Every structure is written in C-alpha cells, then in structure tokens.
Amino acid sequence: ADTDDDGQSDDEELITPGMDPLVADTDGDGMDDGWELLNGLDPQDTTDANADADGDGLSNAEEFTAGSDPQAVDTDDDGLSDFVELNATGTDPANADTDADRMPDGWEDTFGLDPLEPADAALDPDGDNYSSYSEYRVQTNPLDGLSVPEVPIWGTRRGNAASTAHVKIETDDTDFVQRWAVEFETGGFSTSYLAVAGNKIHMSTGFDSEEYADFAFSLADGEPLWEILNQSADRPGPPAVDAGIAYTVAVNFGRPSILRAFDAETAAERFSREIDKEDVSEFVVPDGGAVFVSARDSIMSFDAVTGDLNWDTQVTDGDNYSIQPAVDDQHVADFSAGTFSVLDRDTGAIVFQDESSFCSSGDVILADADTAVVTSRVCLTVYDLQSQSLIWEQLREGEVRGVTTDEKTIFVADYAGVTAVNRSDGAEIWQWTSPEWANRGIASTLNHVFVSTATETFALDGETGEEVWSY
C-alpha cells in the first residue's frame, strides 16, 4: 500500500528512519518523497529543493513542478534545455513535441517556426513545394527554397542498398501521367526489377535458357540505348547500379555463377569474375565502393572496381539461402535459416546474430541506424540494432509480397492489398483492399505508397491509405 500516494510503499517508508508513510512530502520541501528518491535526491533534506542537480538553471523544486528530470538538462531531448522551455519558448520540457505537429520543439525554434502552433507543419515558408513537416522529415532547411531533397537513384531491386524501397521526396498525384511506353519481345521470361540511375533505366531479360541480355533505355523517351547479349547464365539477375557502374549476377547451376560489372554509360565491361558457391542469389547490392552478394550460407563483399574479394563470411549452416543483404554505412544484414545476422560492412565480422524469430528466411530492411525490419512469407519482424534484440514479431494472415518503410511506418503488401503498421509496436494504422492480387511491387515516398497488381499500379495516400490514382 502507499497511503500518502507519494510513490513509495508504506513498508518502504516504515523501515526507513525519519520517513512518514502518511505524508507525501516528509521534509516539506515541495517535492514528493518517491520523486526525490527516484531522482537521486534526499526526501529528508529540505535544502535540496533549491539546489540545481543538473545545472540547467532550474531548481529541483521547479523541475518537480514542471515534470522534468532534475538530472537532465534537456529532459525530452528536443534540442531545447528545460530552462529555455519554461522561461523562453513556453513549451513543455517533458514533451519533445508540445503542439503535436510531429516536429520537435527545438527544430521548430531553430528555424523560426512556432512550437506552440500545429498549423505551421503544413506551411511552406520558403516556397519550394515542401511543407515544413516534410522538410523536417528529410532534414532540409524550411526557410531556404534551394534546400530540397535530392532524388536518389533507384539502384537495386529494393531501391537502395538499405532495401527500404523508400524515396525521400514528395510526389504530386495530379502530375502522374504516362510519358511513354515501350514494347519488346521477352521470349516468355523477363525480370520485373528495374534500376534507374541518371538518365537511364536498366533491366535484364531472358530469351531462353541459354541466352539473356542486359538493356539500357532512355528515361526521357524510352528509346533503347544499348544491349548486351550474354550466354553464360542459367538464370539472369536484374541489374543494380552505383557510381556509374551496373552490376549483374548470372546464376548458374552446377557451375560457378558470374558477377559482372559494366560501364552504365557505354556498356563497356569493367570486370567479370566467378563465384564458386551454391545457391548464389541473383540480387546484387553495390554501395560505397563495395558489392555485396549472398549465397546459401554466406555473405560476400567484392571490390566495386576490380571485383576482388574483400571478405566472405559464413552466417548459417542451413539450406535457406539469403534473398538479398541490406547494407548501410556500418552494417550488412541478412536473414536466412531462421538466423538474423548483422556484420561489419568493412571486415565481414559478425556483430551479432539472433535466432529467436519463428520464421526461416526473407528480406531485410535497414530502416535506420537503430532499426531493422525483416519480412518473410508469413512474418513481419522488427529488431533493435542497438540492444541487439527482437522488438516485436507478427504472423501475418496473408502472404507478404513486399514491404517498404519510412521513418515511422511499415507498409506491407500481400495478396489482399496494403496494410500500414506502426514501426514501433506493429499496431495497424490503415488497410487498403486491392481489386485484384497485389504483387511484390511496392514503394513509398514522403506522401504516397505505390503498389502494383498484374494489370494496374495504384498510388495511395501514405497517411490515410486512400486511393488517389491508378493506371
């Protein structure tokens, strides 16, 4: 029991000399006993009320009244000290976003916005067609019309090396019109994955079991720019592009697969090397001077210019080969044979592994420096990279066909449609039902989610899931 409701039980107070279980503030200094103990103060010392434990300019008693932490200069970590929030901005030192407009108080104050006015999130003070909230999301200056997000290349099967399938730009659904269309013979097989870099679209197409070709088309008008016939593969892999070089893996059965690199502008070959591994994935990930390829039980890194092997790390003993590693500035992540593996991207050393998931193998997304999202046919799993632990996992009712994520939301495509879930806890935000089976084609921007079926492509409002366009 806690008769005086001070946060300390009666038993704890009774066994402590001088404490009164019937008085919430034993020493009468204006701060409850439990709060003082929780924050390293003495509930029997009246003088600590006027002290300033964290040196932020507020007394401990003022911090108690404000609900802030007497041991932290910036309780809510919003970029403003507790003193400034109470005495200058009028914001809540225990709430990073006082006006609930999804922009931290400190960021708003830095750029002259009003942290007490939620309406300014939708304003565009610099006239660059990006709202203040959007500029916060991509960390550009909302007061500088030239400070806008750059459109990145769509360099891999899932957009970028981290595999987020997310582009940090705003898209205008009133400007979604067909620019051009190209038809070509595929011989019954073609890859559905494209890479877009600079002014080119790259793809690979198989004609029969003995021959396939790599293509480049003009992004402006769809005109073919070059074509390379290749007879060295049993299964063609889609191209991936980085730093002006296109890469493909020609997967072979019973003989070494081939990692190839060629100039994205001229199609001149840069290098070609064998990978003598079982079940090499056709999905290659080039990033920052290295090329990452997965096989049945291992992840490999190659020099992006020479093709020389940097490292080769075995991550499992199982037979479920990795689909595609995800890569960021520090890590390479993989999920196969029920094992989530995080490697050092420079050395290939295993940073940590986790085998607590119910699922076997799937795609990994490095959503940010702290979070990884893993998808398999029936699972959605989120890991904390800092604590090296599984945060939450869902068994999905429908087969997962594709996933994209922004900084807060995971968008999951299955045969029924698209579901948006909160990245922190998996809670459903909205659901959109597709008129026909959705496929693996899903991507997102700051304000839209794009998903395709066998015959149509849809744009959904990222906040509500409302269908705003289709083709």
Side-chain angles (χ1 to χ4, degrees), residues 293-309:
V293 180
S294 60
R296 171 176 291 190
D297 60 359
S298 62
I299 306 295
M300 295 159 282
S301 169
F302 300 92
D303 185 280
V305 176
T306 66
D308 293 337
L309 180 68

Side-chain angles (χ1 to χ4, degrees), residues 342-355:
V342 176
L343 285 62
D344 182 283
R345 70 163 284 158
D346 293 328
T347 67
I350 295 176
V351 177
F352 77 93
Q353 292 184 305
D354 183 278
E355 298 180 353

Side-chain angles (χ1 to χ4, degrees), residues 380-412:
L380 184 63
T381 310
V382 174
Y383 291 90
D384 185 303
L385 298 178
Q386 300 306 314
S387 65
Q388 301 183 359
S389 61
L390 189 153
I391 303 174
W392 58 264
E393 184 168 61
Q394 293 179 349
L395 294 177
R396 307 289 299 177
E397 293 184 4
E399 180 178 333
V400 176
R401 302 292 293 165
V403 171
T404 178
T405 183
D406 61 19
E407 70 275 15
K408 293 183 178 181
T409 307
I410 303 172
F411 304 98
V412 185

Side-chain angles (χ1 to χ4, degrees), residues 396 402 404 410-420 428 430-434 438 441-442 449-452 460 465:
R396 307 289 299 177
T404 178
I410 303 172
F411 304 98
V412 185
D414 57 28
Y415 284 123
V418 177
T419 304
E428 183 176 311
W430 54 256
Q431 188 173 59
W432 171 79
T433 301
S434 173
I442 186 170
V449 178
F450 297 88
V451 62
S452 61
L460 313 177

Side-chain angles (χ1 to χ4, degrees), residues 209-333:
S209 61
E210 300 297 329
E211 183 178 275
Y212 77 93
D214 298 306
F215 294 93
F217 297 89
S218 167
L219 182 61
D221 55 20
E223 287 297 310
L225 300 175
W226 50 256
E227 172 184 337
I228 304 173
L229 291 176
N230 190 304
Q231 298 180 344
S232 65
D234 292 332
R235 184 173 66 204
V241 182
D242 186 56
I245 303 177
Y247 303 86
T248 63
V249 172
V251 177
N252 296 310
F253 304 102
R255 53 197 175 95
S257 296
I258 308 295
L259 171 63
R260 300 174 61 239
F262 43 91
D263 190 287
E265 186 68 29
T266 66
E269 184 171 276
R270 294 293 190 91
F271 68 78
S272 176
R273 63 154 297 144
E274 293 185 346
I275 303 177
D276 194 6
K277 291 270 189 177
E278 291 187 46
D279 292 328
V280 174
S281 173
E282 66 265 44
F283 303 119
V284 58
V285 182
D287 181 68
V291 181
F292 302 89
V293 180
S294 60
R296 171 176 291 190
D297 60 359
S298 62
I299 306 295
M300 295 159 282
S301 169
F302 300 92
D303 185 280
V305 176
T306 66
D308 293 337
L309 180 68
N310 295 324
W311 50 259
D312 179 357
T313 300
Q314 182 174 338
V315 291
T316 71
D317 294 322
D319 291 332
N320 292 318
Y321 74 91
S322 167
I323 297 173
Q324 173 183 314
V327 182
D328 64 15
D329 292 340
Q330 296 181 310
H331 303 118
V332 179

Side-chain angles (χ1 to χ4, degrees), residues 349-369:
I350 295 176
V351 177
F352 77 93
Q353 292 184 305
D354 183 278
E355 298 180 353
S356 60
S357 172
F358 290 111
C359 298
S360 57
S361 63
D363 274 315
V364 178
I365 299 170
L366 289 174
D368 55 38

